């Protein structure tokens, strides 16, 4: 998607602080962190939302969660705990329409549900 900001980050057309990259996914620090650790993990392939991922391609979602698990360890929040968040669609407040998962940690987080 030529006009997608996260595709541009994945293609390195827009700079970001990349903390992980492999053939399927890339992770980078959120530009507006809400906690000491706030990382976004995205598939390199463009999906607008989680809902837009075809069933046959949902493996990438598991792959991303493996990356999150590793990053939580690397950034020192695995022990204390952390939140993994996906805003899916307008009612959830999704702003960037390229599938992404937030890894948020490093402070006590207010419960959402
Ligand atoms: P959403 O509300 O769509 O789940 O979250 C989008 C997130 O992307 C926000 O936390 C926002 O700070 C982050 N973000 C938006 N634009 C950029 C950018 O250009 N670079 C980085 N690193 N993060 C961004
Ligand atoms: Zn995209």
């Amino acid at each position: 998607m030529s006009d997608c900001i996260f595709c541009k980050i994945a293609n390195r057309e827009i700079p970001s602080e990349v903390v992980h990259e492999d053939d399927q996914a890339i992770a980078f620090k959120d530009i507006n962190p809400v906690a000491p650790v706030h990382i976004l993990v995205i598939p390199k392939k463009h999906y607008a939302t989680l809902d837009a991922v075809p069933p046959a391609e949902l493996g990438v979602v598991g792959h991303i969660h493996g990356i999150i698990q590793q990053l939580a360890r690397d950034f020192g929040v695995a022990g204390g705990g952390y939140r993994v968040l996906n805003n899916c669609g307008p009612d959830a407040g999704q702003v960037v329409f390229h599938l992404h998962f937030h890894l948020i940690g490093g402070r006590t987080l207010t419960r959402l549900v």
Side-chain angles (χ1 to χ4, degrees):
M1 281 269 292
S2 56
D3 61 345
C4 170
I5 192 162
F6 283 2
C7 281
K8 288 181 177 167
I9 285 175
N11 295 333
R12 309 287 187 140
E13 293 169 48
I14 291 177
S16 68
E17 203 170 332
V18 173
V19 294
H20 171 89
E21 182 171 13
D22 60 45
D23 58 328
Q24 291 184 72
I26 188 165
F28 51 94
K29 293 190 179 178
D30 196 291
I31 203 167
N32 186 24
V34 299
V37 176
H38 189 171
I39 294 168
L40 302 174
V41 190
I42 71 170
K44 287 186 169 176
K45 181 171 178 179
H46 181 91
Y47 305 99
T49 69
L50 179 60
D51 191 64
V53 182
E57 298 180 29
L58 281 169
V60 72
V61 175
H63 177 73
I64 283 171
H65 281 73
I67 294 166
I68 289 169
Q69 195 181 62
Q70 186 59 51
L71 288 171
R73 292 172 186 151
D74 294 346
F75 281 82
V77 298
Y82 55 92
R83 181 166 293 152
V84 181
L85 182 73
N86 170 253
N87 294 318
C88 181
D91 280 0
Q94 185 175 357
V95 172
V96 177
F97 280 80
H98 178 128
L99 175 62
H100 55 279
F101 291 85
H102 299 252
L103 163 58
I104 300 168
R107 66 169 172 82
T108 303
L109 301 167
T110 310
R111 285 185 63 94
L112 292 174
V113 289

